[in-house]
Amino acid sequence: MTEFTKDLETLKPLLLKLLNEQIPGAIKEMAEQILNRITAQQILSQENGPIQNLLLTLPLNLGSTQTDLTLQWSGRKTKDGKIDPNYCRVLFYLELERLKEMVIDMQVQNRIIKVTVINGYGAVLEEAADQYLDLLRENLEKMDYKLSGVSFVNPVNGKKRDKGLKSVPFSETGPYSGVDIRI
């Protein structure tokens, strides 16, 4: 991730230099879009006290469809400044042509993993994934992780169930405050 951050730091000045030159409108617009993406990733990937957040958005071509793949890692920092693989959360967001919005929420607590797949076709995905869950469980155990479960949630049903709960977007959570207590 350090190398990726360094690449962004060298790419951004080059894009700014390119924008100051006389270039065709299409190239200028594309350079501005790339510059805006880099700036957004730098703002959203932040250290917040003992919690570290990393956000990565990549353009992705799937056949004839162009979409973005977004990954967000959140977790406490280890002594060497990396995200602790024993206690973290990974969110994966992708817009697909037929399945539409797909969100995968992976929570890791003490090397025990819970996966939640949020999609409008949850029942279909659950049936299709059922044959692969044992393989997933075995491969995670090889890496010294334990799979506690995989659940499939339809976002429409989830909204009805969680009427009183309001989700706060990642960018609006504010600075970290509080006390971590280990018992």
Side-chain angles (χ1 to χ4, degrees):
M1 203 62 195
T2 306
E3 290 177 19
F4 177 72
T5 305
K6 288 179 184 175
D7 288 344
L8 287 180
E9 289 172 1
T10 58
L11 180 60
K12 192 171 179 178
L14 291 173
L15 286 170
L16 288 168
K17 185 178 177 183
L18 177 67
L19 289 172
N20 288 328
E21 295 178 6
Q22 296 293 340
I23 55 174
I27 294 174
K28 187 172 189 167
E29 184 178 327
M30 192 175 292
E32 285 174 347
Q33 287 178 359
I34 294 169
L35 183 64
N36 290 337
R37 282 178 178 257
I38 290 171
T39 303
Q41 286 186 21
Q42 288 174 330
I43 291 170
L44 293 173
S45 297
Q46 59 188 339
E47 292 184 30
N48 200 357
I51 305 297
Q52 183 163 357
N53 297 300
L54 299 171
L55 183 80
L56 180 63
T57 302
L58 300 170
L60 184 66
N61 287 328
L62 297 171
S64 62
T65 306
Q66 168 116 19
T67 187
D68 286 334
L69 164 69
T70 302
L71 290 164
Q72 176 189 330
W73 292 270
S74 302
R76 68 182 191 184
K77 289 189 291 187
T78 60
K79 291 180 182 176
D80 60 353
K82 296 180 181 177
I83 291 180
D84 187 350
N86 298 318
Y87 300 93
C88 64
R89 183 176 193 176
V90 179
L91 288 170
F92 170 89
Y93 175 82
L94 183 62
E95 177 101 15
L96 298 170
E97 184 178 358
R98 292 194 178 127
L99 294 176
K100 306 299 178 206
E101 288 183 333
M102 170 81 69
V103 178
I104 300 172
D105 182 4
M106 183 179 88
Q107 297 180 26
V108 182
Q109 292 290 317
N110 201 21
R111 299 190 77 80
I112 298 173
I113 298 175
K114 178 187 176 218
V115 177
T116 304
V117 178
I118 303 166
N119 183 271
Y121 299 97
V124 174
L125 289 172
E126 184 172 8
E127 187 178 313
D130 192 44
Q131 61 185 328
Y132 298 104
L133 293 181
D134 289 333
L135 181 63
L136 175 62
R137 191 170 276 113
E138 289 172 19
N139 286 324
L140 286 171
E141 285 177 6
K142 289 178 186 175
M143 295 185 290
D144 198 28
Y145 285 94
K146 183 178 180 185
L147 181 66
S148 72
V150 177
S151 59
F152 295 83
V153 177
N154 186 329
V156 175
N157 295 341
K159 286 179 187 174
K160 290 176 186 173
R161 192 175 52 231
D162 299 330
K163 281 184 180 176
L165 299 175
K166 182 182 179 230
S167 99
V168 179
F170 170 71
S171 59
E172 296 177 12
T173 56
Y176 175 83
S177 65
V179 177
D180 291 344
I181 298 174
R182 181 178 284 180
I183 298 173

